[in-house]
Amino acid sequence: MAVRQEARVRRWESTLQALWIGVGLQVVSILLPLLDLWFFGSVESHVEGAYPEWDQNEVALERNAIVIGLVIVGVLGLAGWLVAIWAAKRDRAVRATVTTLFALGMSTLTATAGMGGEAYDQIVPLWLGITLLVIAALPGVTAVLSVWFREHDEQRPTT
């Protein structure tokens, strides 16, 4: 049984490497809006620029809503990475899982990064939206390519 499990994991080894890198970068994506909230203040400046007539309490509420929304999207992305890792380790519908989760994740991030509203051209500051998109896209594309274009010798049964 151990040999069979090892063969499953080896089959998706490059995919698992990309997925684990994705997990690490997703943690960075979760922390980035929080770091902006605590240190950089670009989301707050963005809100103040969109609504100059608002007082500090209204700006703080809007800023917090944006940051919390980004953290929630980040946590959902982390769950997606972990589900993809689970599928690869179990050798269960790996291509479908990785491809579907990548498409869902990129669609969600693109919508989040590009969404506008009322006084905003974009609700999320441009630098932050693009950074979050690129951070997830790089290991995501690698994982998708890995599941669809594995080397042929990985497909041979092991003894």
Side-chain angles (χ1 to χ4, degrees):
M1 190 65 139
V3 173
R4 186 173 174 195
Q5 178 65 23
E6 184 180 320
R8 285 182 188 170
V9 172
R10 281 190 30 206
R11 179 178 182 191
W12 301 109
E13 188 173 341
S14 59
T15 303
L16 282 165
Q17 289 173 350
L19 294 172
W20 279 113
I21 290 169
V23 166
L25 291 175
Q26 190 66 39
V27 171
V28 171
S29 293
I30 293 168
L31 293 175
L32 197 56
L34 296 172
L35 289 172
D36 184 81
L37 176 67
W38 297 327
F39 298 111
F40 308 133
S42 68
V43 174
E44 186 169 351
S45 298
H46 187 67
V47 173
E48 288 172 344
Y51 296 101
E53 70 279 357
W54 282 7
D55 65 22
Q56 275 308 110
N57 288 336
E58 292 173 314
V59 169
L61 284 172
E62 182 78 4
R63 174 204 64 208
N64 291 346
I66 293 170
V67 169
I68 289 169
L70 291 173
V71 169
I72 289 170
V73 168
V75 169
L76 291 173
L78 182 60
W81 289 107
L82 295 174
V83 166
I85 288 170
W86 176 85
K89 283 187 173 184
R90 300 279 186 264
D91 197 21
R92 302 276 191 247
V94 181
R95 285 183 177 162
T97 303
V98 170
T99 305
T100 301
L101 289 173
F102 175 74
L104 288 172
M106 287 296 103
S107 299
T108 303
L109 276 173
T110 303
T112 302
M115 186 176 9
E118 294 187 28
Y120 297 110
D121 289 335
Q122 293 170 307
I123 295 174
V124 177
L126 184 61
W127 80 268
L128 186 57
I130 289 174
T131 302
L132 295 175
L133 190 63
V134 169
I135 284 175
L138 294 175
V141 166
T142 304
V144 170
L145 291 175
S146 173
V147 296
W148 285 100
F149 299 107
R150 289 182 295 121
E151 293 181 22
H152 294 290
D153 61 347
E154 289 180 5
Q155 295 176 3
R156 287 188 216 136
T158 57
T159 57

